[in-house]
Amino acid sequence: MTSQALDEIKIGGLGASRKRVEDNRFIRGKGSYTDDITLPGMLHMEILRSPLAHARIKSIDASKAWDIPGVHLVLTGEMMATRNLAWMPTLSYDTQAVLATDKVRFQGQEVACVIADDPYIAKDACEAIDVEYEPLPVIVNPEQAVAEGAPVIRDDKEGQAGNVIYDWEVGDADGTERAFAAADTISRLQLHYPRSHPSPIECCGSIADFNRATSKLTVYMTTQAPHIIRAAVALVAELPEHMIRIISPDIGGGFGNKVPVYPGYVCSILASILLERPVKWIEDKSGNLISTGFARDIYLDGEMALRQDGKILAVRMHADADHGAFFSDAQPSKFKIGLLHSTFACYDIPVAHLTARGTYSNKAPGGVAYRCSFRVTEAMFFQERMIQAAATDLGMDQAEFRRMNFVRDDQFPHRTPFGFLLDSGQYGKCLEVGLKAVGYEDFRRQQAEARARGRLLGLGISTMTEPLGAGNSREYDILGIKMFDSAELKVHMTGKAIVRTGARGQGQGHETTWAQIVSHELGIPAEDVVVEEGDTDTAPFGMGTYASRSTPVAGAAVAMVARKIRAKARRLAAHLLEVSEEDIEWELGRFYVRSAPDRGVTIQECAMAAYSNMPDGMEPGLENTAYYDPPNLTWPFAVYIVTVEVDPETGVWDVLNTVAVDDCGVRINPMIVEGQIMGGLTEAYAMANMQFITFDAEGNCVGSNYMDYLLPTAWETPGFELHSEVVTPCPHHPIGAKGIGECAAVGGPAAFVNAVIDAISGTGVRNIDMPLLPDRVWEAIKFRRDVSGAPPVRTDD
Ligand code: CDP
């Protein structure tokens, strides 16, 4: 490197804790969200939802609604059916009702829509629609779904005899059986990971604008995956794809909730086509909580075969997933239950077998990857709860049991018994950093002393390694569309640049970090690079942002396209310096002659030459596109350790300390990474402690408002101590980065639950289902029994 080299941190490159550029508008209230957009002549749509969870529709009388002044259109399932739009395909090869025709299958299901001059008229008109229902028996859990004589929820589907959607398995059943036969101890754990809701602050919404004169359909919408939506609209509505423009403006949080296609989108599009006016639909909070994609709701039952010295010999697991009324999970089509089989990946387990069954129920569909990579949260939660149970059964120390079973640093690349290939990690080191930070030995001493005085202290450890960055396209597709991503980079003649990707951030800071990657690769100051995402007419095709795939895939594409630009700039530099390309060296932001380092040209000078002084035969301009198909997923690793005190009289528990050690490879922006971890831990704490959304026996959604479904504020949220000492670069990512967005939300919940279970050790309680509400913890202590949170809940008290 010569003395002229730029200081990468100063120009906002890799490793700079650059302030988020998008915050300039967000904290001033200048963001532009879907609901901020008003188009000339725009009408408003509201949805009438079913009050019942399962009922036959006998009749719908909308005549009174049509009569209300200001009403332009009332859409019913019958009308949708005449256009073949009453049902739509889901992202998991099932079908989903857009507006109900035959039956309603969950409380909150879309039954009719009104389009009116304003949302208030539309809402009043919805209430004027008379729907006659004939109630049917209701199913709210998998046990009821497969019980003999259970009503068939999806009687619309030819050949659907019961409520089972799929049976799926992975692993080695015989080998696992043999390992269990040879075990000294078998440890078992059953639990329910409850339904939870991503609950973004901004609900879902769309503005469809069909222009008959140009035949162009423009849809502004809150989607995390605009190109997938464009493809879906083209296929479902049979509109030409080049005449569809999806614009995803600023998004007020997504967390997976804004990946699926919702009936509201479809209805607003049809209404705009019929009325030839823009139609806006903005969902309200209850609508969002009750009807949009939920997450989890899975019953996990597993066994671990153990040798007396603590070695894990095998794992056997069964999952029962409650998918609600339609199988609409947005996930790679090859894996019926997402990436649940990533469970136990960080442990060196010789053999394992997993079976999974999906069932319908009278609940809103979903299975969305709420801040996780397709059911990895459930996988990691079960893993770490099971590890704690097994260590307890063996009478072993929690930390020691993990340490001895981790995949060691010298075992990479490591193939898991379910077929994943882990490429790198320092699991033991992360654990040691965490234990030291929390003062493990000291805490154990304090815990014993406190116990002697009747106080209940507990410590919970959780680790996670998450497969982030779907594709590769060999294995990952959604509806047959292969999973990869893209970036386009245009360097203007003055050296300023614009980068566009197929991802779509929802608050993660892409506008800041993508510019940092360009800066790292080209030496252009990050402040000279603008980032644009979310418009299908301008962004290159991509699969969108969810499952923490942006950095592993779109971020990699940004690095790769910048390298293409650098390769062309090198030829321009050779031309400007009048030497051959082989004689040119690169340092950040500058090419120079190897034999005369003072003779050089900056990247900005090369950019100017690309438009004003290119060599003969060279195509002018300095822009390119890269499509990136990753060779593998990235595998970040983390250790979360939580200490708590539980009040034995009330079951209330307080967090004393939370330590997080995250290894996400190279950190592009350490400050943003810390923000992601804090957000994830906050959600993990909320899931473990307070978020309660469930169903009674009639299928009524309990917790469909923010009085019951609690979002933690800064007041409730405990402090977190973050550690970044361990960095294991991803060997196949161009800049060594691994995903981080979801890690803490994925790995965090088990640390909180393990801490509470540890605090009440000695009672014989193996499990309390989340959320660990005080009454559940109190019941566990008082009656020395496990407490289930599975629906139906009692409503008689
Ligand atoms: O896909 P999503 O953006 O939700 O998740 P991500 O790829 O893990 O990135 C979340 C944010 O953290 C983005 O702004 C990333 O660029 C940033 N990040 C980082 O600075 N360093 C990493 N190693 C990983 C992510």
Side-chain angles (χ1 to χ4, degrees), residues 468 505-506 508-510 513-514 517 545-552 664-670 672-673 676 736-742:
L468 293 181
Q506 317 111 48
Q508 295 93 329
H510 293 178
T513 48
W514 296 166
I517 296 174
T545 290
Y546 42 87
S548 280
R549 63 187 300 281
S550 304
T551 302
C664 60
V666 172
R667 295 182 176 205
I668 302 164
N669 183 322
I672 286 186
V673 167
Q676 295 288 310
K738 304 177 180 182
I740 186 64
E742 306 165 339

Side-chain angles (χ1 to χ4, degrees), residues 437 634 662:
T634 70
D662 279 90

Side-chain angles (χ1 to χ4, degrees), residues 487-491 497-499 518 522 561-562 565 622-625:
E488 176 200 80
L489 179 58
K490 293 184 176 180
V491 183
I498 178 165
V499 60
V518 174
L522 293 178
V561 74
I565 295 285
L622 197 54
E623 55 186 71
N624 219 318
T625 305

Side-chain angles (χ1 to χ4, degrees), residues 507 561 753 793:
V561 74
V753 177
V793 287

